[in-house]
């Protein structure tokens, strides 16, 4: 398929995605409270180079410039997240109007620029006060806190924001935050019950938030964003097939089945045994409230064999020689097609957005002052083609958000990984549109 065959409908959303803590900075301004990522990143040894989001891309002050850049890229959508600690500095209680005002101005600016805002309510920056109370997502009462937070935000923005996503990548923060400790809050306790418990409360909070959004926002389009992988068995052997099935259950189905079927996957419930989720009567009905769209964050496929790399699951990764990004993630565009088809076939959401897809490479400013990131251009071309293929094959794909608008704070990797289609010079906060940004601009303008 050539670029000329990248057939996307005229109303297709072309955007980029970001998250509050990764770009905003201004962590102590206008009444924002501390989040678990402030605590984590300021704890020695937790992030690369001790990097923090204190300043990040200074988007909190430079958002007008960033919207102008989106316009230059011909984008008609922007996915960003709201920082809960800007709205409710202590997690609950008095609403911080200055925090709401920031996002209100941002939304107005986007709409004036002809860019549709897509708002994520939770992209990992939990107010520290809620973490201190029963370890955040491990406490069932957090469901009510999240519903109250959703209420405050949607009342303020719901007249203008119609596209809402409750959570970003539950899998990642439940596993890496509460079990392996690679991410905030960073508790490394190898107890799978912590994952199932955090995830169950997040799923309940998702269901509660959907109801709040539908009540507060006329014409709301509500979705959930999942980190999804294409999972393949290393061989046809029954052992490898079963291993791939377990890994798929752990990573993909655990977070999709409850929402779309009202049940946790039976094979995984059996596998987790006493470490299963704390389900109470009515929970699964609350979790499985119908959605308007599913958000797919796609980065990787995994080839799985039976083994002891992940002991509870009894699986091991097979890593064939392949082109890899700076994150050591395989570049394999057909896997995006596979995941889109799978979500469409198995779960039938009314619409699907690719809410994140992109790659980190070791970009540098060339002598001509530009950033010639030809590997990212090739990467995007390959994945755009697979999205077009999925669309042609009947997937109700409505938009594609490249991760990310600009290089930013890549969590525990700090500023060492550059995902942007715009280069961030952190010393000066100068932004430089990379060649991949120009390519995205051409595709978004329908020129390929
Ligand atoms: O930067 C992250 C983002 O916050 C969530 N999805 C994956 C991205 C790249 O690692």
């Amino acid at each position: 398929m050539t670029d000329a065959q990248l057939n996307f409908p005229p109303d297709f959303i072309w955007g980029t995605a970001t998250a509050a803590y990764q770009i905003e900075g201004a962590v102590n301004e206008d009444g924002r409270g501390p989040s678990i990522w402030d605590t984590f990143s300021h704890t020695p040894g937790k992030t690369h180079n001790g990097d923090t989001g204190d300043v990040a891309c200074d988007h909190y002050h430079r958002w007008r410039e960033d919207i102008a850049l989106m316009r230059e890229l011909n984008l008609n959508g922007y996915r960003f997240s709201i920082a809960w600690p800007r709205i409710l500095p202590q997690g609950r209680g008095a609403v911080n109007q200055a925090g709401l005002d920031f996002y209100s101005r941002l939304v107005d600016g986007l709409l004036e620029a002809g860019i549709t805002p897509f708002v994520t309510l939770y992209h990992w920056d939990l107010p520290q006060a809620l973490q201190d109370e029963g370890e955040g997502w491990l406490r069932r009462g957090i469901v009510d806190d999240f519903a109250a937070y959703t209420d405050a935000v949607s009342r303020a923005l719901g007249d203008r924001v119609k596209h809402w996503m409750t959570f970003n990548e539950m899998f990642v923060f439940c596993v890496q935050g509460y079990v392996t400790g690679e991410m905030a809050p960073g508790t490394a306790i190898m107890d799978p019950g912590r994952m199932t418990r955090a995830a169950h409360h997040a799923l309940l909070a998702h269901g509660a938030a959907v109801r709040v959004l539908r009540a507060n926002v006329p014409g709301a389009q509500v979705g959930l964003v999942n980190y999804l992988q294409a999972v393949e068995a290393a061989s046809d052997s029954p052992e490898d097939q079963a291993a791939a099935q377990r890994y798929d259950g752990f990573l993909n189905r655990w977070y999709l089945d409850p929402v779309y079927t009202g049940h946790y996957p039976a094979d995984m419930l059996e596998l987790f045994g006493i470490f299963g989720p704390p389900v109470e009567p009515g929970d699964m009905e609350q979790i499985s409230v119908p959605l308007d769209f599913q958000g797919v964050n796609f980065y990787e496929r995994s080839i799985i064999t039976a083994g002891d790399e992940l002991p509870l699951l009894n699986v091991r990764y097979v890593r064939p020689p392949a082109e890899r990004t700076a994150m050591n993630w395989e570049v394999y565009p057909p896997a995006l097609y596979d995941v889109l088809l799978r979500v469409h076939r198995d779960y039938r959401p009314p619409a699907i957005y690719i809410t994140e897809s992109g790659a980190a490479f070791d970009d540098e400013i060339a002598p001509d002052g530009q950033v010639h990131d030809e590997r990212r251009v090739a990467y995007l071309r390959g994945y755009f083609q697979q999205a077009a293929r999925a669309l042609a094959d009947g997937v109700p794909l409505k938009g594609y958000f490249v991760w990310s608008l600009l290089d930013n704070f890549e969590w525990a990797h700090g500023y060492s990984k550059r995902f942007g289609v715009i280069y961030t010079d952190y010393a000066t906060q100068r932004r430089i549109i990379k060649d991949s940004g120009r390519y995205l601009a051409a595709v978004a303008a329908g020129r390929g």
Side-chain angles (χ1 to χ4, degrees):
M1 189 188 283
T2 65
D3 279 355
Q5 292 164 296
L6 282 178
N7 282 328
F8 292 93
D11 60 350
F12 194 78
I13 297 285
W14 284 104
T16 53
T18 63
Y21 190 72
Q22 295 182 271
I23 65 164
E24 286 178 1
V27 291
N28 292 317
E29 279 184 52
D30 294 339
R32 176 187 180 277
S35 81
I36 56 173
W37 269 97
D38 296 293
T39 308
F40 185 83
S41 66
H42 280 269
T43 305
K46 294 293 187 191
T47 66
H48 172 88
N49 203 29
D51 290 347
T52 73
D54 287 3
V55 178
C57 308
D58 197 30
H59 172 78
Y60 193 76
H61 300 115
R62 295 169 191 266
W63 58 272
R64 288 184 189 81
E65 181 191 345
D66 292 337
I67 292 176
L69 287 164
M70 291 177 216
R71 283 197 70 164
E72 216 175 316
L73 299 189
N74 300 320
L75 303 176
N76 59 350
Y78 176 49
R79 172 175 177 243
F80 62 97
S81 78
I82 308 271
W84 187 344
R86 284 198 195 282
I87 310 303
L88 295 154
Q90 295 306 312
R92 73 166 76 91
V95 171
N96 176 34
Q97 189 58 41
L100 284 175
D101 290 347
F102 167 69
Y103 295 107
S104 189
R105 288 193 295 273
L106 177 65
V107 164
D108 285 343
L110 289 166
L111 292 172
E112 275 163 32
I115 299 168
T116 304
F118 282 67
V119 167
T120 310
L121 286 162
Y122 189 78
H123 200 127
W124 308 352
D125 44 358
L126 183 73
Q128 182 63 43
L130 295 182
Q131 176 61 26
D132 296 342
E133 193 182 328
E135 286 195 65
W137 292 104
L138 297 187
R139 181 179 62 90
R140 190 176 167 101
I142 198 168
V143 174
D144 295 335
D145 295 327
F146 189 71
Y149 158 62
T150 303
D151 185 59
V153 175
S154 56
R155 278 182 196 279
L157 305 181
D159 56 335
R160 289 155 291 156
V161 174
K162 300 299 171 191
H163 295 84
W164 295 85
M165 290 147 287
T166 55
F167 280 82
N168 184 71
E169 300 182 355
M170 285 181 195
F171 166 79
V172 176
F173 73 82
C174 291
V175 173
Q176 298 191 9
Y178 287 91
V179 181
T180 66
E182 298 148 89
M183 294 217 169
T187 27
I189 301 177
M190 297 301 158
D191 168 0
R194 294 169 62 83
M195 180 280 279
T196 57
R197 188 175 183 83
H200 188 64
H201 295 155
L203 286 163
L204 280 170
H206 156 79
V210 175
R211 286 186 173 80
V212 171
L213 290 163
R214 294 218 192 287
N216 288 354
V217 183
Q221 295 284 302
V222 186
L224 172 66
V225 172
N226 290 50
Y227 174 82
L228 298 174
Q229 284 194 2
V231 179
E232 295 176 19
S235 78
D236 289 339
S237 76
E239 293 78 19
D240 284 354
Q241 295 287 327
Q245 179 75 4
R246 288 192 295 278
Y247 187 71
D248 178 59
F250 169 64
L251 192 142
N252 294 325
R253 289 182 287 123
W254 192 258
Y255 303 87
L256 286 169
D257 282 18
V259 172
Y260 288 95
T261 72
H263 303 283
Y264 283 104
D267 58 333
M268 298 310 291
L269 281 175
E270 194 183 329
L271 188 142
F272 288 138
I274 55 162
F275 301 113
V279 181
E280 295 185 9
D283 283 3
M284 301 316 289
E285 289 73 21
Q286 175 162 330
I287 290 170
S288 56
V289 57
L291 296 180
D292 301 297
F293 67 89
Q294 177 62 43
V296 173
N297 286 3
F298 183 79
Y299 291 94
E300 267 198 287
R301 81 167 161 167
S302 285
I303 303 172
I304 297 294
T305 184
D308 58 5
E309 200 170 338
L310 300 180
L312 175 74
L313 297 174
N314 190 23
V315 303
R316 186 167 63 76
Y317 299 98
V318 176
R319 297 183 177 87
E323 187 194 350
R324 292 183 181 273
T325 70
M327 300 290 283
N328 204 22
W329 297 343
E330 182 194 29
V331 180
Y332 184 66
L336 171 64
Y337 174 88
D338 294 342
V339 164
L340 292 172
L341 260 288
R342 189 267 175 97
V343 170
H344 173 54
R345 185 193 62 214
D346 290 357
Y347 299 101
R348 296 272 159 194
I352 297 178
Y353 290 89
I354 296 166
T355 35
E356 286 182 28
S357 165
F361 292 110
D362 296 327
D363 305 316
E364 284 174 6
I365 304 176
D368 64 359
Q370 301 298 307
V371 179
H372 302 300
D373 58 337
E374 60 284 336
R375 289 191 65 196
R376 188 175 290 99
V377 173
Y379 183 101
L380 292 181
R381 178 177 285 120
Y383 285 81
F384 290 171
Q385 289 175 350
Q386 295 300 324
R389 199 179 136 215
L391 187 63
D393 288 349
V395 172
L397 186 66
K398 303 295 180 196
Y400 196 126
F401 296 84
V402 173
W403 186 270
S404 177
L405 174 66
L406 65 178
D407 299 334
N408 59 45
F409 177 77
E410 178 53 25
W411 307 113
H413 296 280
Y415 297 100
S416 66
K417 306 293 178 198
R418 294 182 174 274
F419 273 91
V421 293
I422 296 173
Y423 185 92
T424 307
D425 178 357
Y426 293 108
T428 62
Q429 290 296 346
R430 190 162 65 101
R431 279 86 156 117
I432 302 168
I433 297 179
K434 301 179 192 178
D435 287 359
S436 60
R438 307 262 173 228
Y439 174 66
L440 173 61
V443 173
R447 295 193 303 274

